[in-house]
Amino acid sequence: MNSSEQTISRIERALRKAASKFPSDADSYPLTDLYIQVRQESGELMIFDDDDTELTRCVVEEWIGNADETFYDDIQPLLRKILSRMDEELHALPLLKPFSLVLIGEDKETLADLYLVDDETIMISGDLMEGLGEDLDQFWEELSKK
């Protein structure tokens, strides 16, 4: 999905606004994940914390009325690109690690883990253990040949 620089800026601004809700001078950082919910019909992008408190919202005009069945799959690369561009800012969020940014559907079901930070481990897209089973199978196969 190709998006304009205005769309990217709008989403980055929403992420910064959500981040500003967490004071950096707090005695202890909150333990929370951030949930990004997009409403396909209205183009609204909302960001919530673990308590379903809405931190911010914006409207992405390019997404208004998008009826594609693959809409949520199509927006994931864009969101990951934006998160990658904001890597330093997101890593510095005053949240207790590990934390993640998760794309959720309208019924609050998890659609994708977009960004995960765990001290030294930063994962953008996909499952942290993706492909582990195949790697282990290959390892055992090679080991059994010896």
Side-chain angles (χ1 to χ4, degrees), residues 79-122:
L79 294 173
R80 287 185 177 110
K81 175 184 170 186
I82 292 168
L83 294 171
S84 293
R85 284 174 46 159
M86 297 180 68
D87 181 63
E88 286 185 36
E89 291 175 73
L90 294 173
H91 193 69
L93 277 174
L95 298 175
L96 192 61
K97 292 175 178 68
F99 72 89
S100 59
L101 282 100
V102 179
L103 178 63
I104 58 173
E106 292 189 30
D107 296 327
K108 307 253 181 180
E109 75 279 7
T110 297
L111 300 176
D113 290 315
L114 299 172
Y115 186 91
L116 170 69
V117 177
D118 182 8
D119 291 329
E120 300 299 319
T121 304
I122 300 174

Side-chain angles (χ1 to χ4, degrees), residues 2-146:
N2 292 328
S3 295
S4 69
E5 192 60 37
Q6 179 184 8
T7 293
I8 292 169
S9 295
R10 183 165 288 160
I11 296 169
E12 286 177 344
R13 195 170 32 252
L15 288 163
R16 285 186 186 101
K17 187 173 180 182
S20 73
K21 304 287 179 159
F22 301 102
S24 60
D25 60 347
D27 291 334
S28 62
Y29 293 153
L31 174 63
T32 188
D33 289 324
L34 298 178
Y35 299 91
I36 300 172
Q37 183 181 53
V38 177
R39 293 202 174 135
Q40 192 171 357
E41 304 81 32
S42 65
E44 286 181 294
L45 179 141
M46 295 158 286
I47 302 174
F48 298 92
D49 65 10
D50 277 341
D51 297 323
D52 281 340
T53 303
E54 184 179 312
L55 302 173
T56 192
R57 76 172 51 208
C58 69
V59 175
V60 179
E61 294 173 10
E62 289 181 24
W63 295 347
I64 295 174
N66 187 321
D68 292 343
E69 289 183 22
T70 60
F71 173 76
Y72 291 103
D73 292 331
D74 294 343
I75 64 170
Q76 289 177 38
L78 173 65
L79 294 173
R80 287 185 177 110
K81 175 184 170 186
I82 292 168
L83 294 171
S84 293
R85 284 174 46 159
M86 297 180 68
D87 181 63
E88 286 185 36
E89 291 175 73
L90 294 173
H91 193 69
L93 277 174
L95 298 175
L96 192 61
K97 292 175 178 68
F99 72 89
S100 59
L101 282 100
V102 179
L103 178 63
I104 58 173
E106 292 189 30
D107 296 327
K108 307 253 181 180
E109 75 279 7
T110 297
L111 300 176
D113 290 315
L114 299 172
Y115 186 91
L116 170 69
V117 177
D118 182 8
D119 291 329
E120 300 299 319
T121 304
I122 300 174
M123 182 186 71
I124 300 173
S125 92
D127 183 6
L128 187 59
M129 305 299 267
E130 189 174 335
L132 181 63
E134 293 84 15
D135 289 345
L136 286 174
D137 289 343
Q138 183 180 3
F139 170 76
W140 285 114
E141 185 177 315
E142 289 177 17
L143 189 62
S144 65
K145 291 179 184 177
K146 295 181 179 184

